[in-house]
Amino acid sequence: MSHEPHSPPPIEAAAGGHAHAAVHPAGDQPLVGHLVPMTTLVVTACALLVLTCITVAVRYMDIGEFNIYIALGIAVIKASLVALFFMHLRWDRPFNMIVFFGCVLFVVLMMGFCLMDTSQYRHEQINGNPPLVAETLLQNAPNAPVGRFDQ
Amino acid sequence: MIQMINTLSTALLAAQDAVTPATFWMPEGASTVSADVDWAFMFVTWVSYFFFALIVGLMIVFVIRYRHRKGERFRTDGMTHHGPLEALWIIIPLLISIAIFFFGFKGYLDLAQPPKNTFDIEVVAKKWQWSFTYPNGAISTNMDGLFVPAGKPVRLIMRSYDVLHAFFVPNFRVKRDVVPGRRVALWFQCDFPTGEDASKAYNFFCAEYCGTGHSNMGGKVYVLGETEFAEWMAKQANWIEDIPDDQLYQIAGPKLYAQCSQCHTLDGSTGQGPSWKGIMDRISAGTGKFTNGQSYADIIGPGKVYETPEDYIRDSILNPGRYIVQTFTNVMPTFKGQMNERKIDAVIGLMKHLDQFDSKGKLLSGTAAK
Amino acid sequence: MTTLEAHKPETLDIHASSDNYLTHSKGFISWACTLDHKRIGVMYLVGVLGAFFVGGIFAILVRTELLAPGPTIVGPFAKWMGMDPADVYNQWFTLHGAIMVFLVIIPSIPAALGNFILPVMLGAKDVAFPKLNLFSFYLWVIGALMAVLSLLMGGFDTGWTFYTPYSTTSPAGGVIPIVAGAFILGFSSIFTGMNFIVTIHKLRPPGMTWFKMPLFLWAIYSTAIIQVLATPVLAITLLLLIIERTVNIGIFNPSMGGDPVLYQHFFWFYSHPAVYIMIVPAMGIVSELISVHSHRHIFGYRFIAFSSVAIAMFSFIVWGHHMFTSGQSALMNTIFSAISFSVGIPSAVKVFNWTITLYKGNISLNTPMLYGLAFLFLFTIGGLTGLHLATLSVDVHLHDTYFVVAHFHYVMMGSALIAMIGGLHHWWPKITGRMYNENWGRFAWVLVFVGFNVTFFTQFMLGSQGMPRRYYDYLPEFQTYHVISTVGSYIMSVGFFITAGYLLASLVNGKRAPANPWGGRSLEWQCPSPPPHDNFKTPPRVGDCYDFSIVRWSDEENGYVVDRSLDPSLRENPTPAKGH
Amino acid sequence: MGRLSRILHLEWDGDTRDAFSDSHARFQAGRMGMWLFLITLGILFASTIFAFVVVRLQPDPATGWRPTDEPGIPGILLISTAVLLASSWTLTRASAAIVGDQRRQGRQWIERSLILGSLFLVLQAVGWIDMWRAGVYIDSSLYGWTFYVLTGLHAVHVLGGLIPMGVVAARARRGTYSRLSHSGLTYCSMYWHFLAGVWIVLYLTLWLGSM
């Protein structure tokens, strides 16, 4: 890789939303490292820890169905924090941010729809190991561990 | 909105007093929901006719009118965009879509919500057979057909034994996948009896791909009048008990064999399972091998796994996976719960007296009734 | 802009050198190790067309078997392979579906034509990551080899959807290799998509703004987004399926508290967008075909461009309409039905815009244009019958019948593959440097078009009358339609064989292709046919790629040239050129 | 260049078909490609975790989710979590050192990350052995299945990250990276931070799910 030495352009310019990379002078920008202030990293790490504690606390509080949604919500927030600060998405091009949150949205939609669906048909599910299924499984897959649920 | 559509479609649909006849698109419609589904189908179809004619018509006209010949200068007076026109063909399809959605939704509400007072039939699907258990304990399979009372909402409570299956009656416009591990319900109501005439009865199919026998996993739906149905159900529940003991295998044997005939032949040719021809001789000779290396002689006999050949056959019907005859694979489902002792006796009787039956399992004339 | 420059036809450097990407270097290794997107595109094209041939053979076998109820031609095969006749048929239709979906239609337009055309159309030297590009091609090859391996290990009969629990318990021996193959093909698709997104973002030359891009690039871009976002879900689903089949337990297995419907959610979360991976690039091709061959500015450029993106977005939230009868709850059925109609709107916008593009055009009925018009015809049918299937109560009746089979063949074959063949004809002179025989092309088109409609239109009636899909045996009352359909498939395959014949013949004795045989305006027509190793010697001049007013026929080029002296803004009294 | 070397370097045609005008543009494109790749992997992990959540929410009422005779998530995973986070941290230090033109420290930090990353895998293996010894097998229950599959999937990705990190370490040893040119290190650390983030979510899900 060849490059002429020059001072790296300020980070803000990189995130400025220009249509073209070519507006910047040649050369790699040091995007990783000392540019994120240590305090920011420490604060983010603390936030992650606090969120983890909240998840655990919620787990011990019995609030039924909402548990899972709160836990998933916190997981999304944590993933976003990691991406934004540890992975420098916060200072990256806006397109990457759009893509990232677009994906989060799709994943949330997918999960939301599937969870809505499974909770709707849960009453149809046969409790315990459906005996007929167990028998077939024993035949088709002799090593399948179905015995324990047999009533 | 739903109210409006309700009134609209009630006005459009005259009360039904006969099955709707088959059309170019749809087969005869015989259930209480079929007319509604057909109406929605035809509505969408007419919308499709219109837009198809519009687009293809314009396309043909333009292609003829604006043909280009080599060397001519290009005309450039065509417009490149037109906001209101674009808006128009966003809004019109949108409105039509909303209307279609509501017609479909309304029909689906009927399909998805069974009325309160349904007549329930327990259905079990397995590779590649349906069995129907009626409230009085009567059982029929897809070989016999499904029998339902006319004029009553019927609910099928379905379970699957192995993989996904789907119960589909085209004439009733109903379909539902049977998911293993779940109890799923499907309901319909047919007001017009067909009687026990197979040519008038409706077809049902397995619509979810389930392997080898998928395309033959269907049968007939017979719709009977109320009293006829009650009689049929009573007869069906007790048919095996009503047969005198000395004729048990002769009468019940062929009927039961129909369930086995997909895999076990009587003429010696190989099917999914071993042929029954000479089965008792093979067992008494004791030489036939199993996949685990043992032979008949190793497991049948006093003090062995099975005291008698009959014990072995009984267990093969109830626990088919235990011993697999060599060169065959473990595909037979268990008949536990479907075959009582009397039925098993009848099957064993058939095996012992194969000379009295033809290769299709029909009793040869002259041997009937001693 | 000087007058001197304006009078210089832009295709001048066609004569500059006889060096092109085909002759640049020679030998097997120079192809196998190439990083040139054009060569990779050609290799994809050969592979995809080969797979299309194999998949087509299975299609013909399936159709022939259905000539009559009961076993028709499966008997000898069943005896030979020691299988039940029904299983032979089940393997055929599964192979047909799996090969056509995973090996043919998904990679056909983006990976084969896209790889060749995208950088040239964009005015770039190559894609952003050439090594990754070659790597995805080899992933495709490995995926194809896995399909062969699965055949050697006993085939598979699960249907291309691999629904659990059938796929986890099916006795066929080749299920794991083919599922692993589909997994690998998924990654091939992901890497291609990533490459294209970055290429379009980072390698547009000066002047090539987003709204100067040809619509094919918008379509490829939208497709790439779907490939990157949806394919991982399929990958993980297939991986879990393989583990489940190996250890006999897993999250899709109901006997241990797993859920087979969850498999369907996961599968269709990918596979519905995958339908758009197939159709959106086809729409991109058709936008090119129709505007170039009617030499007329595309109507409503921005609406077509945005509708590609809109389709890509909507495609993620409508997967549930594959599951209306599959045990999905009534609530979700209703929600998915409502959202599903939303995909119809951008599709309708495109169809109307293409139709209006013909209005006041200069239409040349070249073979590519005929395929473009066939697309318009067939996609209209395929799209409108989609309305039936999105309508809840109607879909309950039609689901898993031949109506669905007909619908998705109209969309996936009648639209995606027909557009791909149209695109192949359109860019054939560019790829090979040879012209094929137009008359044979038109004749084969007639056979394909007629044969297609005969084959698949009958299946709409079959389906609505109640014939379920994936049946090798059927009730006698369905036979008439099945026979017509089979005859149609024979007509169509004759058409395809003729196509293969004249295209191959053109390689031997075809006329040399000019740089611009159709009068196109986008950048790929401004470099020689076939393009040189580096695509453009000098950075190309980007203009409005749908402005045909400055394109004229040139006898000495025996093709069209972009003649800037025709630009009205350069002349003193600009009068629009009239054709009639 | 020898024939074989030309093949191995995919430079048969004599060029690498680099379409970028300068290294900065190439680096920007590389970062974007890396982001897209991570998004792909993120969706892959998110769907796996989500599949876990769905089956976890419909346990068998008779036996519950975790069979009573099977232990919870092994405690050693807590240590491995700390080790993975530490390796993420050392990689951050490595980038900082390289950017600050302290190549020697940079090299050392990269090597430390490599060691910590390998240690993580060892600890994961110990966790698996713990579970195995306690009688939790991949086919004994969905609890065991999800444990092995989810941790295994992550471990495979960690393994896949150690290889490029080894290459980065070797390059750092050769002094390839400078203040202005260290794209390989950047891509590697993006991937590594991503894996650490995924592991935190994965570990918490497994742990909460086991209760």
Side-chain angles (χ1 to χ4, degrees), chain C residues 325-367:
Chain C
T325 70
S326 301
Q328 186 174 243
S329 59
L331 171 70
M332 288 320 292
N333 282 349
T334 311
I335 294 175
F336 276 124
S337 168
I339 309 175
S340 292
F341 284 104
S342 66
V343 185
I345 312 295
S347 309
V349 166
K350 278 177 188 272
V351 169
F352 287 126
N353 280 354
W354 291 324
T355 314
I356 296 305
T357 300
L358 299 172
Y359 173 64
K360 289 194 176 174
N362 310 275
I363 298 165
S364 313
L365 286 180
N366 305 312
T367 313

Side-chain angles (χ1 to χ4, degrees), chain C residues 248-316:
Chain C
N248 290 324
I249 167 174
I251 54 168
F252 305 131
N253 182 338
S255 70
M256 300 285 279
D259 189 347
V261 176
L262 185 66
Y263 174 85
Q264 297 179 25
H265 273 302
F266 270 48
F267 182 83
W268 289 114
F269 184 80
Y270 164 74
S271 291
H272 189 74
V275 173
Y276 295 96
I277 295 180
M278 305 174 200
I279 192 70
V280 171
M283 291 165 160
I285 288 187
V286 169
S287 304
E288 297 299 314
L289 295 187
I290 289 191
S291 69
V292 170
H293 293 270
S294 44
H295 307 104
R296 152 84 155 82
H297 197 290
I298 190 93
F299 181 80
Y301 173 92
R302 281 186 188 231
F303 278 89
I304 297 187
F306 282 129
S307 64
S308 288
V309 181
I311 290 176
M313 298 295 140
F314 285 139
S315 73
F316 283 98

Side-chain angles (χ1 to χ4, degrees), chain C residues 21 34-46 48 106-140 188-197 199-200 203 216-217 220-221 223-224 227 281 285 420 427 430-431 524 531-533 535, chain D residues 17:
Chain C
Y21 80 100
T34 185
L35 295 180
D36 185 345
H37 69 97
K38 298 182 287 298
R39 287 191 168 191
I40 294 173
V42 170
M43 293 196 292
Y44 261 120
L45 195 61
V46 172
V48 162
I106 289 181
S108 69
I109 301 177
L113 290 178
N115 243 323
F116 192 97
I117 296 300
L118 177 135
V120 192
M121 226 179 200
L122 201 63
K125 181 187 171 188
D126 207 305
V127 292
F129 311 116
K131 287 183 185 171
L132 186 68
N133 200 15
L134 184 66
F135 181 58
S136 6
F137 172 70
Y138 280 113
L139 284 181
W140 184 91
S188 166
S189 175
I190 290 175
F191 290 140
T192 306
M194 274 169 51
N195 223 334
F196 287 175
I197 293 182
T199 307
I200 290 180
L203 284 175
F216 180 59
L217 296 186
I220 288 282
Y221 182 76
T223 311
Q227 285 176 308
I285 288 187
M420 143 84 180
W427 285 302
K430 187 55 62 186
I431 295 172
E524 83 271 28
H533 183 62
N535 297 353
Chain D
R17 294 207 61 87

Side-chain angles (χ1 to χ4, degrees), chain B residues 267-287:
Chain B
D267 57 5
S269 61
T270 310
Q272 292 264 347
S275 175
W276 286 357
K277 188 175 185 186
I279 187 167
M280 297 317 277
D281 301 337
R282 287 204 299 271
I283 293 174
S284 48
T287 50

Side-chain angles (χ1 to χ4, degrees), chain B residues 94-206:
Chain B
L94 191 67
L95 293 178
I96 294 175
S97 296
I98 292 172
I100 295 176
F101 166 73
F102 272 102
F103 289 130
F105 175 56
K106 191 197 153 281
Y108 182 71
L109 282 182
D110 292 339
L111 285 165
Q113 293 171 335
K116 285 270 180 290
N117 54 340
T118 50
F119 180 85
D120 289 353
I121 299 173
E122 284 276 344
V123 180
V124 174
K126 64 183 176 188
K127 286 178 182 173
W128 295 280
Q129 202 181 66
W130 297 93
S131 84
F132 308 102
T133 309
Y134 300 83
N136 70 344
I139 294 176
S140 73
T141 68
N142 53 326
M143 301 292 168
D144 316 313
L146 167 67
F147 289 76
V148 295
K152 245 186 197 178
V154 176
R155 185 168 63 157
L156 305 182
I157 298 168
M158 307 190 288
R159 284 178 301 158
S160 167
Y161 187 95
D162 36 39
V163 299
L164 295 170
H165 300 278
F167 191 82
F168 174 34
V169 188
N171 296 96
F172 297 168
R173 318 282 191 262
V174 291
K175 184 183 290 127
R176 188 88 155 94
D177 279 22
V178 190
V179 183
R182 269 168 71 180
R183 240 170 230 280
V184 299
L186 170 148
W187 84 274
F188 54 82
Q189 175 177 345
C190 175
D191 293 337
F192 315 104
T194 60
E196 293 192 49
D197 179 358
S199 66
K200 282 192 188 137
Y202 302 113
N203 295 311
F204 72 85
F205 302 100
C206 173

